[in-house]
Amino acid sequence: MKPIDLRSDTVTRPTPAMRRAMAEAEVGDDVYGEDPTVNRLERRAAEIFGKEAALFVPSGTMANTIAVKLHTTHGQEVICDARSHILDYELSMTAWFSGCLVRAIPTPDGILRWPAVEREIRKPSPYWAPTALVALENTHNLAGGVVYPREVFREVCAGAHAEGLRVHLDGARIFNAAAYHGCPVRELAEGADTVAFSLSKGLGAPVGSVLVGGREDMARARLYRKRLGGGMRQAGILAAAGLIALEEHSARLPADHANARLFAETIAAAPGIQVDLATVQTNIVLFELTGGEITAPELAARLTSRGVLLTAFGPRLLRAVTHYDVTREEAAAAAAIVVELCTSAARV
Ligand SMILES: *Cc1c(COP(=O)(O)O)cnc(C)c1O
């Protein structure tokens, strides 16, 4: 039987419509700017986000790496939350490619608020690396897929700009945030100088992310993409699936959110599981094992043998992510197996 794969929303397979569009895509050489399908994807992404221009890139890591490079020079600082993807999951690209130091601010909920940012801003001085950039993440992966309160986001953008800083939004799952608010995604991009978003997560495309921002920034971004080895040729094959993801798949994210909610509420009743239901706002469920009878890797291994895949994020923390390849019935079945295994572990 096919496992119920809740490790990440990156595991989705392209739909038949995507495969058809890929097979039939009109293509050209994108390094020459001549791939009509890539150009169409970039134009639509810019439009949808209310920005001047966009750049199609192979991954979210590359989009964030390019954005940090655009907004900084070597020896500066980037302020972000202490559990940010750019800090913990991108092989220190901020240091490696941009030569910048990350000033990580711990937050209880992944939401970086203006007073906390303001306290950490460094001006040029004989001792300090000056701050250049504030990077925010919406939804916040390691905080459990939580959504930025809109007024908090606006306040950070306004405050940072008033201090002469730039703002990058790591919006790998920004469409999940928009689904949560029930608003167009452009409203959540307002105020950010650049936004990176994934086509290959909840939106279901096989490959790709997009960086959106100002025209001049995106022209420079194109050069950084080439330096990083991201200059692709007949990339319209990939962009064709990306266009379907962008135009059609955000409409189905509320179903993923409802399935995550169902999963979370079901496992919350199990002995030795702690899940903060207030953080289950989108398609991510983080839960902790509090009983001590079983570790997260052990539970993940037992779940695997029962056909349920999820990710252990440490000795006690696990993550489940819903997506379109997991039905409501499968989410319910997976949760029931978690409850069963935790109940029998507690009895030993
Ligand atoms: C997945 C993710 C990325 C990076 O995307 P890749 O395509 O895997 O490189 C960046 N930020 C966040 C918050 C993510 O969840």
Side-chain angles (χ1 to χ4, degrees):
M1 218 174 71
K2 167 174 153 294
I4 303 172
D5 195 344
L6 298 166
R7 288 173 301 168
S8 176
D9 46 9
T10 56
V11 302
T12 55
R13 310 286 163 89
T15 60
M18 282 178 180
R19 287 181 185 271
R20 264 197 310 279
M22 293 171 82
E24 291 161 11
E26 219 191 318
V27 295
D29 190 323
D30 182 50
V31 172
Y32 296 156
E34 292 173 1
D35 189 296
T37 310
V38 171
N39 292 341
R40 196 145 51 88
L41 172 65
E42 291 177 347
R43 222 168 25 244
R44 280 298 288 149
E47 240 165 51
I48 288 169
F49 278 79
K51 303 291 184 198
E52 288 174 355
L55 186 71
F56 181 49
V57 292
S59 71
T61 298
M62 191 183 287
N64 285 334
T65 297
I66 291 170
V68 171
K69 184 70 185 160
L70 281 176
H71 301 312
T72 62
T73 59
H74 273 57
Q76 295 184 319
E77 285 195 358
V78 176
I79 289 178
C80 66
D81 165 68
R83 288 178 288 172
S84 294
H85 199 281
I86 66 161
L87 174 60
D88 283 339
Y89 289 91
E90 298 184 8
L91 297 112
S92 79
M93 280 303 271
T94 299
W96 196 85
F97 190 64
S98 299
C100 288
L101 197 64
V102 170
R103 179 68 50 186
I105 305 180
T107 62
D109 54 1
I111 305 300
L112 203 46
R113 292 172 172 79
W114 173 245
V117 173
E118 192 179 22
R119 271 196 299 276
E120 295 293 345
I121 295 174
R122 277 139 212 254
K123 304 286 183 186
S125 93
Y127 301 105
W128 298 338
T131 310
L133 173 66
V134 180
L136 305 176
E137 193 174 312
N138 190 17
T139 66
H140 195 300
N141 181 8
L142 262 283
V146 294
V147 174
Y148 251 85
R150 297 172 67 170
E151 65 290 355
V152 172
F153 184 77
R154 273 196 292 266
E155 199 186 349
V156 173
C157 290
H161 288 146
E163 292 288 335
L165 309 179
R166 304 197 88 189
V167 178
H168 172 61
L169 172 58
D170 177 357
R173 297 190 179 85
I174 191 73
F175 283 92
N176 294 88
Y180 172 85
H181 287 300
C183 74
V185 84
R186 65 188 300 145
E187 291 182 15
L188 306 182
E190 233 170 80
D193 296 291
T194 47
V195 183
F197 71 94
S198 294
L199 295 164
S200 60
K201 291 194 170 161
L203 297 185
V207 177
S209 280
V210 180
L211 184 66
V212 297
R215 204 178 312 285
E216 283 174 25
D217 277 345
M218 290 307 106
R220 286 172 57 221
R222 190 167 279 279
L223 306 181
Y224 292 132
R225 181 183 70 177
K226 191 74 168 69
R227 282 204 166 97
L228 286 165
M232 298 181 286
R233 301 296 178 169
Q234 284 72 41
I237 300 268
L238 302 175
L243 269 164
I244 293 180
L246 184 64
E247 302 285 7
E248 296 175 21
H249 283 215
S250 59
R252 36 154 323 283
L253 296 175
D256 295 346
H257 297 183
N259 292 345
R261 190 84 210 161
L262 171 70
F263 181 88
E265 283 172 356
T266 308
I267 65 165
I273 284 190
Q274 190 178 311
V275 48
D276 181 357
L277 291 174
T279 67
V280 185
Q281 299 171 359
T282 56
N283 68 329
I284 297 177
V285 181
L286 279 186
F287 60 100
E288 218 168 320
L289 302 180
T290 54
E293 302 88 0
I294 186 170
T295 67
E298 281 164 3
L299 179 60
R302 286 183 204 179
L303 283 165
T304 299
S305 68
R306 296 286 302 273
V308 176
L309 309 182
L310 37 76
T311 307
F313 267 128
R316 295 192 308 167
L317 190 65
L318 292 114
R319 187 187 73 169
V321 186
T322 56
H323 51 78
Y324 78 68
D325 277 346
V326 172
T327 63
R328 188 161 181 82
E329 291 66 33
E330 287 171 325
I337 294 171
V338 172
V339 172
E340 183 199 320
L341 293 179
C342 286
T343 306
S344 61
R347 258 197 240 106
V348 175

